[in-house]
Amino acid sequence: MTAALPRTSASTRRSRARSPLHGGRFGLVAVLPFVVFMLLFAVYPLVQVVRMALSHVEIRGGQFLWDFGTLANFARMFGDALAGSSAVTTAVFIAATVPLTLVLGTLLAVLVDRSELFGPVARNLALWPAVVAPVVVSLIWLLILSPTVGVLNRVLVDVGLPPQGWLGSEVGAMVSIILVDVWHWTPVVFLLVYTALKGIDDQILEAARVDGANERQVFWRVVLPLLTPALAAAALIRLVMGVKAFDEMFLLTRGGPNDATTLVSLHIRNVFFDRLELGYGAAFSLTVVVFVMLVLLVSVLVRRTARQGGAAA
Amino acid sequence: MSTSVTPGALAGTVGAPAGATSSRRARRRRRFRPAVDLPLLALLAAFILPIGWLVVLAVQPGRNIVSPDWEFGFTTANVLELLGPGRPFAAQLGNSLMIVAGTIVLCLVVGSATGYALSRLTMARWVTLTLLALSAVLPLIPPMALVPGLYVTLNSFGLLGTVQGLILLNTVFNLPFAALLMKVYFDGVPGELREAALVDGASELRVFVQVMVPLARSGLAAVAVFVGIMAWNEFLMGLVMTSGGRTSPLTVGIASLVQPYEVAWGSMAAAGALATVPIIVLAVVANRQIISGLTGGAVK
C-alpha cells in the first residue's frame, strides 16, 4: 500500500480531474475575465496595429482617415535612415548592457552567497535600484550627470580629472544611458542567478572538492555550468527589456544628441506623436515585435537542441 | 549523518585548503573575509549611493545643491512646497495610490481565478494554449507599439484621462505575470484538499474561495508586491493617456520636472524621494515575497 501510494494517487487525481464532473462551467467562469481583458486591451489593440501598419492613415480635422491595403509603410522602412540607425543604436545598447548586467549580477550573486558578514543585508539592499521607478532613476542620474549640478563631475574635479560632458556628447550620452541601464537592472540578474545558486545541491560541490578541485575549478567547471539555464533566462529577459527600454532615454537624453541615443521605442514614439505618421509607426513597431519573437524562438530552439544533444551524449 | 560522509568531508578539508566545507563554514560564521566582503561592499555602495544622494538632495536648501563646494544642511521646505495647495503633486500622489490599489485588486481577483483554472481545472486544450500564448506574447510587445490601439479603446469607453482607465491598462500589462505566478502557487497546493472538499459537497466556487485561495496566500502576497511596484512605477501609459497636471499619476508629475537645465533641483529631488522611499520600505518589508515570486514566476 505505502509503496504504491504516490503513483496511484497521481493517476486517480489525473483521471478524476479529466472527468466531466468537475471543472467545466466554473473553469469557463474563472477564465472569462482574463479572456475579456486580453481581448479588449491586448488582442484588439494589436489587431488595430496590424491594420494600421497596412493602411495609409491621415488625421484631417481631428478625424482619422484610414486607407487600408498597402505595403508602402513597410517599403518606407528601407529608405528611413533613422529607422536603421535606431535599430543599430538598440543593438549596440543591448550588446553592451546585457553582458555587463549578466557579469555584474552573477558576481554580485556569488559575493552575496559567499559573504558571511553582509550576505543577508546585501541580499536586501541589492534589490533597491530595481524597485525605483524608471522616471526616478532618470532623475537620480540627471542629478549625478548634469553639467550644472552633477555630482560626478564635482568628484572628478576633486580628484584632479577634467569634467566630462556626460549627456552632451554623442558618445557620452550613449555611455551614460548604458551606465544607467546597467545600474537599474543588474539587480534583476542578481536575483535570478542568486536563486539558481541557492538551488544548487551542496553535495555536488562537496563531491567536486573531495575529488580535489580548488574553489576556482569548482566555480568554472561545476557552478557556472549549473547556472547556465538561469543565465540564459536572464539574458532573454534582459534582451526583451533592452528592446522595450524607453523611460530613461526619453527623460535623460530625449534620444539626442543628434539621435545618438534614439532607440527603437523612442523612434516609434517620435513617429507616432511628433510626426503623427500612424501607419508607418505601426509598421515599424510590428517589425520590431516580429524580430524579437524570431530571436526568442531561435534561442529556445537552440537551447532545446543543445539539451537534447547533451542528453544523447 | 552517516559515518561514510565524515571521512569524505575530512578529505575535502585536507585536500583543498581553500575550500570551505559546510562544517568549516558553520564554525566560521560571520567572519569578515576581505576577498569577498570588500568587493561586495564596493558594489553595494555603487547601487545604494545614487539613491542616497537623491534623498540627501531632497532635504538640502537650493543654494547647497548648486554650490560647487560640499555644503550640507537640512530643510523640509522642498517637500512642503511640493505638497502645497498650488502644486498638483498631492493630487498625483492620490492618483498613484488609487491606481496601485485598483490594479492590485483586479490582478489578484482575475489573476488568481485564471491561475487556478490553468492549474487545477479541466479545460479544452485550445483554451489553455490560447491563455498561455496570450500570457507569453504580451510581455514581449513594446508597450509603445500598442499605444494607438489602447488610446482608441479607452476613448471609446470614455475612460481617457481617468484613474479607472489607467487601472485597467496597468491590470492588462501585469495580468499575464499575475496569472502565471498564481498558477505556479496553485500547482504547489496539494490537489487532495480540493478533492476532499468536493467530495464533502462544496461547490467549485466555494472550494476556490474558501480552500484554495487561502492556501495560496503567499502567492497572492508576491503578486500584490510585484504588481504594486509595477503600477506605482508605470510612466508611459500615464503620460499618453492623461492630460497631465492633476489627472496624471506621480511618475508623470516627476517627469514634468525632469529637464536637463531645470533650476528647481530641490523640488525635483524631493519629488523623486517622495516616490522612492515608500517603494524601498515595501522592498525591505516584502523582500521574501519578491525573491519567492521571482523564483516561482520568472525562471519557469
Side-chain angles (χ1 to χ4, degrees):
Chain A
M1 159 86 190
T2 44
L5 186 62
R7 198 184 297 165
T8 331
S9 78
S11 65
T12 48
R13 189 195 310 159
R14 199 165 303 145
S15 66
R16 215 181 286 167
R18 287 245 171 89
S19 78
L21 195 69
H22 307 305
R25 196 180 303 162
F26 180 71
L28 286 181
V29 174
V31 297
L32 195 64
F34 184 86
V35 173
V36 169
F37 257 104
M38 285 298 153
L39 285 177
L40 273 182
F41 294 102
V43 177
Y44 174 71
L46 199 59
V47 170
Q48 290 286 60
V49 170
V50 175
R51 201 165 76 98
M52 215 179 258
L54 295 169
S55 307
H56 179 79
V57 186
E58 264 185 85
I59 305 172
R60 250 187 245 144
Q63 293 291 311
F64 288 97
L65 299 175
W66 295 61
D67 188 3
F68 184 70
T70 171
L71 288 173
N73 292 320
F74 290 95
R76 258 189 69 188
M77 239 178 293
F78 296 99
D80 183 355
L82 206 50
S85 81
S86 76
V88 172
T89 309
T90 307
V92 170
F93 179 74
I94 287 172
T97 53
V98 173
L100 273 174
T101 48
L102 282 182
V103 170
L104 276 177
T106 308
L107 178 67
L108 189 61
V110 171
L111 290 175
V112 168
D113 187 46
R114 294 272 173 102
S115 174
E116 292 156 11
L117 203 55
F118 300 109
V121 182
R123 200 175 55 209
N124 207 319
L125 292 180
L127 297 184
W128 287 15
V131 300
V132 175
V135 167
V136 177
V137 170
S138 319
L139 178 68
I140 288 175
W141 284 93
L142 185 63
L143 289 167
I144 292 171
L145 300 168
S146 150
T148 45
V149 299
V151 71
L152 187 54
N153 275 349
R154 217 193 281 180
V155 172
L156 285 183
V157 170
D158 278 359
V159 296
L161 292 168
Q164 305 290 319
W166 290 103
L167 299 168
S169 73
E170 292 177 21
V171 175
M174 194 66 194
V175 170
S176 297
I177 63 167
I178 289 169
L179 173 73
V180 172
D181 191 79
V182 169
W183 180 83
H184 198 178
W185 298 121
T186 292
V188 170
V189 178
F190 156 74
L191 251 187
L192 291 169
V193 176
Y194 179 76
T195 49
L197 203 58
K198 282 277 141 193
I200 294 177
D201 190 347
D202 272 342
Q203 289 186 348
I204 298 173
L205 309 182
E206 201 73 21
R209 292 194 187 103
V210 170
D211 287 347
N214 63 33
E215 281 306 298
R216 188 158 299 173
Q217 288 169 324
V218 169
F219 179 76
W220 289 104
R221 305 262 178 87
V222 182
V223 174
L224 208 56
L226 287 171
L227 289 180
T228 310
L231 288 171
L236 287 184
I237 291 171
R238 293 283 304 126
L239 173 84
V240 173
M241 290 170 79
V243 176
K244 287 172 34 170
F246 174 78
D247 300 7
E248 295 93 332
M249 295 86 225
F250 177 69
L251 291 167
L252 267 180
T253 66
R254 298 260 159 184
N258 296 328
D259 297 314
T261 56
T262 299
L263 304 183
V264 285
S265 288
L266 271 177
H267 184 55
I268 295 172
R269 187 224 160 255
N270 295 343
V271 172
F272 273 145
F273 289 96
D274 292 347
R275 286 156 51 179
L276 292 173
E277 298 187 62
L278 301 184
Y280 179 54
F284 188 63
S285 43
L286 211 57
T287 311
V288 171
V289 171
V290 170
F291 184 74
V292 172
M293 285 191 192
L294 279 179
V295 170
L296 289 181
L297 196 67
V298 168
S299 56
V300 167
L301 287 179
V302 167
R303 252 179 87 185
R304 181 170 297 172
T305 338
R307 202 178 295 161
Q308 277 169 354
Chain B
M1 270 277 172
S2 67
T3 43
S4 64
V5 172
T6 325
L10 274 174
T13 325
V14 176
T21 63
S22 56
S23 59
R24 271 176 75 183
R25 189 174 291 177
R27 232 183 296 138
R28 287 193 174 184
R29 198 165 285 267
R30 307 217 165 266
R31 190 171 191 188
F32 186 77
R33 294 196 293 172
V36 170
D37 287 314
L38 290 180
L40 178 62
L41 288 179
L43 271 176
L44 284 181
F47 282 125
I48 302 307
L49 283 181
I51 302 174
W53 185 240
L54 172 78
V55 177
V56 167
L57 288 188
V59 296
Q60 294 304 312
R63 102 191 110 76
N64 285 3
I65 299 176
V66 293
S67 157
D69 302 315
W70 301 94
E71 290 173 42
F72 295 101
F74 180 83
T75 174
T76 54
N78 295 327
V79 181
L80 290 180
E81 198 246 273
L82 199 67
L83 293 174
R87 305 289 293 266
F89 287 92
Q92 290 168 349
L93 192 64
N95 291 342
S96 277
L97 288 174
M98 280 193 281
I99 291 169
V100 166
T103 308
I104 288 179
V105 169
L106 274 178
C107 279
L108 285 184
V109 172
V110 180
S112 61
T114 311
Y116 180 64
L118 283 173
S119 169
R120 292 287 167 206
L121 300 177
T122 350
M123 283 181 300
R125 203 170 157 70
W126 67 268
V127 177
T128 316
L129 285 179
T130 312
L131 288 178
L132 290 176
L134 279 175
S135 310
V137 170
L138 185 65
L140 302 183
I141 302 172
M144 182 52 86
L146 292 177
V147 160
L150 291 173
Y151 192 91
V152 175
T153 311
L154 277 198
N155 192 25
S156 56
F157 287 125
L159 290 172
L160 210 54
T162 64
V163 166
Q164 293 91 315
L166 287 179
I167 290 175
L168 288 175
L169 292 190
N170 273 293
T171 303
V172 170
F173 283 106
N174 288 301
L175 205 46
F177 177 78
L180 289 182
L181 193 54
M182 285 317 296
K183 175 194 181 303
V184 172
Y185 277 95
F186 281 122
D187 284 344
V189 176
E192 284 80 3
L193 293 168
R194 169 171 170 260
E195 283 153 31
L198 286 174
V199 168
D200 286 348
S203 68
E204 281 280 3
L205 178 66
R206 216 173 138 199
V207 173
F208 173 62
V209 173
Q210 295 193 337
V211 181
M212 301 305 279
V213 166
L215 286 170
R217 59 178 174 272
S218 60
L220 294 174
V223 169
V225 168
F226 264 100
V227 169
I229 292 174
M230 296 300 285
W232 178 259
N233 289 351
E234 205 283 326
F235 169 65
L236 179 57
M237 295 300 147
L239 179 72
V240 298
M241 302 294 170
T242 69
S243 50
R246 288 172 199 282
T247 61
S248 64
L250 189 61
T251 45
V252 176
I254 293 171
S256 70
L257 292 177
V258 178
Q259 256 130 54
Y261 300 95
E262 172 70 54
V263 275
W265 300 103
S267 319
M268 267 174 62
L274 195 68
T276 304
V277 171
I279 213 79
I280 284 184
V281 171
L282 179 71
V284 171
V285 174
N287 192 260
R288 190 185 298 263
Q289 272 75 26
I290 294 178
I291 289 180
S292 79
L294 222 83
T295 35
V299 184
K300 278 171 190 166

